[in-house]
Short mmCIF file of all heavy atoms in Angstrom, two decimals:
data_model
loop_
_atom_site.label_atom_id
_atom_site.label_comp_id
_atom_site.label_asym_id
_atom_site.label_seq_id
_atom_site.Cartn_x
_atom_site.Cartn_y
_atom_site.Cartn_z
N ASP A 98 27.05 0.93 -13.15
CA ASP A 98 27.85 0.25 -12.12
C ASP A 98 28.21 1.21 -10.97
O ASP A 98 28.21 0.74 -9.82
CB ASP A 98 29.16 -0.32 -12.72
CG ASP A 98 28.93 -1.61 -13.49
OD1 ASP A 98 27.91 -2.33 -13.14
OD2 ASP A 98 29.66 -1.90 -14.43
N GLN A 99 28.41 2.45 -11.26
CA GLN A 99 28.66 3.40 -10.16
C GLN A 99 27.42 3.54 -9.28
O GLN A 99 27.52 3.63 -8.09
CB GLN A 99 29.00 4.78 -10.76
CG GLN A 99 30.42 4.93 -11.22
CD GLN A 99 30.66 6.38 -11.65
OE1 GLN A 99 29.89 6.94 -12.36
NE2 GLN A 99 31.76 6.93 -11.22
N LEU A 100 26.26 3.57 -9.92
CA LEU A 100 25.01 3.70 -9.22
C LEU A 100 24.81 2.49 -8.33
O LEU A 100 24.43 2.59 -7.19
CB LEU A 100 23.83 3.89 -10.17
CG LEU A 100 22.51 4.28 -9.61
CD1 LEU A 100 22.64 5.61 -8.85
CD2 LEU A 100 21.49 4.47 -10.70
N LYS A 101 25.08 1.31 -8.85
CA LYS A 101 24.95 0.06 -8.10
C LYS A 101 25.96 0.04 -6.91
O LYS A 101 25.61 -0.44 -5.82
CB LYS A 101 25.12 -1.14 -8.98
CG LYS A 101 23.94 -1.40 -9.93
CD LYS A 101 24.01 -2.71 -10.67
CE LYS A 101 25.24 -3.02 -11.33
NZ LYS A 101 25.28 -4.21 -12.19
N ALA A 102 27.15 0.53 -7.16
CA ALA A 102 28.18 0.54 -6.12
C ALA A 102 27.76 1.45 -4.95
O ALA A 102 27.88 1.13 -3.78
CB ALA A 102 29.48 0.94 -6.68
N LYS A 103 27.21 2.58 -5.36
CA LYS A 103 26.75 3.53 -4.29
C LYS A 103 25.60 2.88 -3.50
O LYS A 103 25.53 3.00 -2.27
CB LYS A 103 26.28 4.87 -4.89
CG LYS A 103 27.44 5.69 -5.38
CD LYS A 103 27.00 7.06 -5.81
CE LYS A 103 28.13 7.84 -6.43
NZ LYS A 103 29.34 8.01 -5.68
N LEU A 104 24.69 2.24 -4.19
CA LEU A 104 23.60 1.52 -3.52
C LEU A 104 24.16 0.47 -2.56
O LEU A 104 23.73 0.37 -1.43
CB LEU A 104 22.65 0.91 -4.51
CG LEU A 104 21.58 0.02 -3.93
CD1 LEU A 104 20.60 0.87 -3.07
CD2 LEU A 104 20.77 -0.71 -4.97
N ALA A 105 25.06 -0.34 -3.02
CA ALA A 105 25.65 -1.42 -2.23
C ALA A 105 26.25 -0.89 -0.92
O ALA A 105 26.04 -1.40 0.15
CB ALA A 105 26.66 -2.21 -2.99
N SER A 106 27.00 0.25 -1.03
CA SER A 106 27.66 0.81 0.12
C SER A 106 26.67 1.37 1.11
O SER A 106 26.79 1.22 2.32
CB SER A 106 28.67 1.88 -0.27
OG SER A 106 28.05 2.94 -0.89
N VAL A 107 25.56 1.94 0.61
CA VAL A 107 24.57 2.48 1.52
C VAL A 107 23.73 1.35 2.13
O VAL A 107 23.36 1.42 3.28
CB VAL A 107 23.67 3.48 0.77
CG1 VAL A 107 22.60 4.06 1.66
CG2 VAL A 107 24.53 4.67 0.30
N VAL A 108 23.51 0.27 1.34
CA VAL A 108 22.76 -0.86 1.88
C VAL A 108 23.58 -1.50 3.08
O VAL A 108 22.97 -1.83 4.09
CB VAL A 108 22.51 -1.95 0.77
CG1 VAL A 108 22.15 -3.26 1.38
CG2 VAL A 108 21.42 -1.45 -0.13
N ILE A 109 24.86 -1.57 2.89
CA ILE A 109 25.74 -2.04 3.99
C ILE A 109 25.55 -1.18 5.26
O ILE A 109 25.43 -1.70 6.38
CB ILE A 109 27.22 -2.15 3.55
CG1 ILE A 109 27.37 -3.30 2.55
CG2 ILE A 109 28.11 -2.33 4.77
CD1 ILE A 109 28.68 -3.32 1.87
N LEU A 110 25.52 0.11 5.07
CA LEU A 110 25.36 0.98 6.19
C LEU A 110 23.99 0.83 6.84
O LEU A 110 23.85 0.77 8.06
CB LEU A 110 25.57 2.47 5.72
CG LEU A 110 25.61 3.53 6.76
CD1 LEU A 110 26.61 3.20 7.86
CD2 LEU A 110 25.87 4.91 6.16
N ILE A 111 22.98 0.69 6.02
CA ILE A 111 21.60 0.48 6.55
C ILE A 111 21.53 -0.81 7.30
O ILE A 111 20.90 -0.85 8.41
CB ILE A 111 20.55 0.56 5.41
CG1 ILE A 111 20.31 1.97 4.99
CG2 ILE A 111 19.21 -0.06 5.90
CD1 ILE A 111 19.29 2.14 3.90
N LEU A 112 22.15 -1.82 6.78
CA LEU A 112 22.16 -3.10 7.50
C LEU A 112 22.88 -2.99 8.88
O LEU A 112 22.39 -3.56 9.87
CB LEU A 112 22.81 -4.21 6.65
CG LEU A 112 22.02 -4.69 5.45
CD1 LEU A 112 22.85 -5.64 4.58
CD2 LEU A 112 20.73 -5.35 5.88
N ALA A 113 23.94 -2.27 8.89
CA ALA A 113 24.66 -2.04 10.16
C ALA A 113 23.79 -1.29 11.14
O ALA A 113 23.75 -1.64 12.33
CB ALA A 113 25.96 -1.30 9.89
N ILE A 114 23.07 -0.29 10.69
CA ILE A 114 22.19 0.50 11.55
C ILE A 114 21.03 -0.38 12.01
O ILE A 114 20.66 -0.37 13.20
CB ILE A 114 21.67 1.77 10.81
CG1 ILE A 114 22.83 2.77 10.65
CG2 ILE A 114 20.52 2.37 11.61
CD1 ILE A 114 22.47 3.95 9.82
N THR A 115 20.53 -1.20 11.10
CA THR A 115 19.39 -2.09 11.47
C THR A 115 19.85 -3.08 12.53
O THR A 115 19.14 -3.35 13.50
CB THR A 115 18.86 -2.82 10.25
OG1 THR A 115 18.47 -1.89 9.26
CG2 THR A 115 17.72 -3.73 10.56
N PHE A 116 21.09 -3.62 12.37
CA PHE A 116 21.58 -4.55 13.38
C PHE A 116 21.80 -3.84 14.74
O PHE A 116 21.48 -4.40 15.77
CB PHE A 116 22.86 -5.22 12.95
CG PHE A 116 23.41 -6.14 14.02
CD1 PHE A 116 22.79 -7.29 14.33
CD2 PHE A 116 24.54 -5.74 14.71
CE1 PHE A 116 23.26 -8.13 15.34
CE2 PHE A 116 25.06 -6.58 15.73
CZ PHE A 116 24.40 -7.75 16.04
N THR A 117 22.32 -2.62 14.71
CA THR A 117 22.51 -1.86 15.91
C THR A 117 21.18 -1.66 16.63
O THR A 117 21.14 -1.78 17.85
CB THR A 117 23.22 -0.52 15.64
OG1 THR A 117 24.37 -0.73 14.90
CG2 THR A 117 23.48 0.25 16.87
N LYS A 118 20.17 -1.34 15.88
CA LYS A 118 18.86 -1.18 16.48
C LYS A 118 18.37 -2.47 17.13
O LYS A 118 17.86 -2.48 18.28
CB LYS A 118 17.87 -0.71 15.38
CG LYS A 118 16.49 -0.37 15.91
CD LYS A 118 15.64 0.09 14.72
CE LYS A 118 14.19 0.28 15.12
NZ LYS A 118 13.38 0.68 13.98
N LYS A 119 18.55 -3.58 16.45
CA LYS A 119 18.14 -4.88 16.96
C LYS A 119 19.00 -5.24 18.23
O LYS A 119 18.48 -5.77 19.22
CB LYS A 119 18.40 -5.94 15.90
CG LYS A 119 17.99 -7.32 16.29
CD LYS A 119 16.60 -7.55 15.78
CE LYS A 119 16.24 -9.02 16.00
NZ LYS A 119 14.82 -9.22 16.00
N LEU A 120 20.25 -4.87 18.22
CA LEU A 120 21.12 -5.14 19.36
C LEU A 120 20.68 -4.34 20.60
O LEU A 120 20.67 -4.83 21.71
CB LEU A 120 22.56 -4.81 18.96
CG LEU A 120 23.65 -5.32 19.89
CD1 LEU A 120 23.58 -6.84 19.92
CD2 LEU A 120 25.00 -4.83 19.39
N VAL A 121 20.27 -3.06 20.33
CA VAL A 121 19.84 -2.22 21.47
C VAL A 121 18.54 -2.80 22.06
O VAL A 121 18.36 -2.78 23.29
CB VAL A 121 19.65 -0.77 20.98
CG1 VAL A 121 18.87 0.06 21.99
CG2 VAL A 121 20.94 -0.13 20.65
N GLU A 122 17.67 -3.31 21.24
CA GLU A 122 16.39 -3.90 21.70
C GLU A 122 16.63 -5.22 22.46
O GLU A 122 15.92 -5.54 23.36
CB GLU A 122 15.46 -4.12 20.56
CG GLU A 122 14.95 -2.80 19.92
CD GLU A 122 14.20 -3.00 18.62
OE1 GLU A 122 14.17 -4.17 18.12
OE2 GLU A 122 13.65 -2.06 18.12
N TRP A 123 17.62 -5.99 22.04
CA TRP A 123 18.06 -7.25 22.60
C TRP A 123 17.02 -7.98 23.44
O TRP A 123 16.92 -7.87 24.62
CB TRP A 123 19.28 -7.04 23.51
CG TRP A 123 19.91 -8.30 23.96
CD1 TRP A 123 19.51 -9.08 24.99
CD2 TRP A 123 21.01 -8.97 23.34
NE1 TRP A 123 20.35 -10.17 25.11
CE2 TRP A 123 21.28 -10.13 24.08
CE3 TRP A 123 21.81 -8.68 22.27
CZ2 TRP A 123 22.28 -11.02 23.76
CZ3 TRP A 123 22.81 -9.57 21.96
CH2 TRP A 123 23.06 -10.71 22.72
N LYS A 124 16.21 -8.82 22.72
CA LYS A 124 15.21 -9.62 23.41
C LYS A 124 15.57 -11.10 23.39
O LYS A 124 15.51 -11.75 24.43
CB LYS A 124 13.91 -9.40 22.71
CG LYS A 124 13.35 -8.01 22.96
CD LYS A 124 12.01 -7.80 22.28
CE LYS A 124 11.62 -6.35 22.49
NZ LYS A 124 10.82 -5.78 21.46
N ASN A 125 16.01 -11.61 22.26
CA ASN A 125 16.27 -13.02 22.13
C ASN A 125 17.73 -13.17 21.56
O ASN A 125 17.95 -12.90 20.38
CB ASN A 125 15.25 -13.66 21.19
CG ASN A 125 15.43 -15.14 21.03
OD1 ASN A 125 16.47 -15.69 21.35
ND2 ASN A 125 14.43 -15.78 20.53
N PRO A 126 18.67 -13.69 22.42
CA PRO A 126 20.03 -13.76 21.95
C PRO A 126 20.23 -14.66 20.69
O PRO A 126 21.01 -14.24 19.80
CB PRO A 126 20.75 -14.40 23.15
CG PRO A 126 19.89 -14.12 24.30
CD PRO A 126 18.49 -14.08 23.79
N ILE A 127 19.53 -15.73 20.59
CA ILE A 127 19.70 -16.63 19.44
C ILE A 127 19.17 -15.96 18.16
O ILE A 127 19.81 -15.98 17.13
CB ILE A 127 18.90 -17.99 19.65
CG1 ILE A 127 19.51 -18.72 20.84
CG2 ILE A 127 18.99 -18.82 18.39
CD1 ILE A 127 20.97 -19.14 20.66
N GLU A 128 18.03 -15.30 18.30
CA GLU A 128 17.45 -14.58 17.14
C GLU A 128 18.41 -13.42 16.72
O GLU A 128 18.58 -13.23 15.55
CB GLU A 128 16.10 -14.01 17.55
CG GLU A 128 15.39 -13.29 16.44
CD GLU A 128 14.03 -12.75 16.89
OE1 GLU A 128 13.20 -13.52 17.37
OE2 GLU A 128 13.86 -11.52 16.78
N THR A 129 18.97 -12.76 17.67
CA THR A 129 19.90 -11.66 17.36
C THR A 129 21.16 -12.22 16.71
O THR A 129 21.63 -11.58 15.72
CB THR A 129 20.31 -10.92 18.66
OG1 THR A 129 19.10 -10.43 19.32
CG2 THR A 129 21.18 -9.73 18.40
N LEU A 130 21.65 -13.35 17.13
CA LEU A 130 22.80 -13.97 16.52
C LEU A 130 22.50 -14.36 15.09
O LEU A 130 23.29 -14.07 14.19
CB LEU A 130 23.27 -15.18 17.34
CG LEU A 130 24.40 -16.01 16.73
CD1 LEU A 130 25.67 -15.12 16.68
CD2 LEU A 130 24.63 -17.29 17.50
N LEU A 131 21.37 -14.97 14.86
CA LEU A 131 21.00 -15.35 13.52
C LEU A 131 20.81 -14.14 12.61
O LEU A 131 21.19 -14.18 11.44
CB LEU A 131 19.69 -16.21 13.53
CG LEU A 131 19.88 -17.61 14.18
CD1 LEU A 131 18.51 -18.32 14.31
CD2 LEU A 131 20.89 -18.45 13.45
N PHE A 132 20.21 -13.11 13.15
CA PHE A 132 20.04 -11.87 12.42
C PHE A 132 21.45 -11.31 12.02
O PHE A 132 21.63 -10.88 10.87
CB PHE A 132 19.25 -10.85 13.25
CG PHE A 132 18.80 -9.63 12.52
CD1 PHE A 132 17.87 -9.67 11.49
CD2 PHE A 132 19.33 -8.38 12.87
CE1 PHE A 132 17.46 -8.57 10.84
CE2 PHE A 132 18.94 -7.27 12.18
CZ PHE A 132 17.98 -7.33 11.20
N ALA A 133 22.39 -11.32 12.95
CA ALA A 133 23.73 -10.82 12.71
C ALA A 133 24.38 -11.69 11.59
O ALA A 133 25.05 -11.10 10.72
CB ALA A 133 24.55 -10.86 13.99
N LEU A 134 24.25 -13.01 11.69
CA LEU A 134 24.84 -13.84 10.66
C LEU A 134 24.24 -13.57 9.29
O LEU A 134 24.96 -13.55 8.25
CB LEU A 134 24.63 -15.32 11.05
CG LEU A 134 25.48 -15.80 12.23
CD1 LEU A 134 25.07 -17.24 12.60
CD2 LEU A 134 26.95 -15.72 11.94
#
Side-chain angles (χ1 to χ4, degrees):
D98 282 333
Q99 278 184 316
L100 192 56
K101 289 190 309 188
K103 287 187 188 308
L104 174 65
S106 63
V107 178
V108 164
I109 289 170
L110 187 55
I111 285 180
L112 288 173
I114 289 172
T115 302
F116 177 70
T117 303
K118 185 177 172 183
K119 183 93 170 160
L120 195 60
V121 167
E122 293 170 352
W123 189 276
K124 293 180 183 150
N125 182 343
I127 299 297
E128 184 181 302
T129 304
L130 176 64
L131 292 174
F132 190 67
L134 289 173

